[in-house]
Amino acid sequence: QVPLVESGGGSVQSGGSLRLSCAASRITYSNACMGWFRQAPGKEREGVAVIDTGGRTSYADSVKGRFTISRDNTKNTMYLQMNSLKPEDTAMYYCAADPDSQASSWWLQLLTHNFWGQGTQVTVSS
């Protein structure tokens, strides 16, 4: 069973909105800190937002006030609501998870998380 599966990507115009979903297996989801990363062509992967089981969150400065991360424990699913999208938000978005960790800006800087999804493409046109 694939531990993490993203969905919800697509193409929108600047200023538009998208909601990404990351469905996790029960084993992956339980006690897991989960987050979103993105990687644009020719650039390094970067952390976007993270949420832990206590509901604590952390965001990259570039998305604060525009993106909201949340999780639905009844569905083992994490979400990323993206509003006021900009062309520079264009990237492949990946979800990641680690058991028994807490949300922090440091977590967003790490690329060595235990579980990764296959990614979903977000394209924002001007």
Side-chain angles (χ1 to χ4, degrees), residues 60-78:
D61 288 343
S62 59
V63 305
K64 283 180 181 177
R66 300 188 299 122
F67 291 11
T68 302
I69 192 170
S70 62
R71 58 195 293 167
D72 185 337
N73 295 334
T74 65
K75 298 180 179 179
N76 291 356
T77 301
M78 173 184 64

Side-chain angles (χ1 to χ4, degrees), residues 5-25:
V5 179
E6 304 98 331
S7 62
S11 297
V12 296
Q13 292 191 326
S14 181
S17 298
L18 283 173
R19 189 177 80 155
L20 305 183
S21 299
C22 175
S25 66

Side-chain angles (χ1 to χ4, degrees), residues 10-19 66-67 81-87 89 122-126:
S11 297
V12 296
Q13 292 191 326
S14 181
S17 298
L18 283 173
R19 189 177 80 155
R66 300 188 299 122
F67 291 11
Q81 178 66 44
M82 305 186 295
N83 298 328
S84 303
L85 283 161
K86 305 175 181 180
D89 294 318
V122 171
T123 302
V124 185
S125 57
S126 58

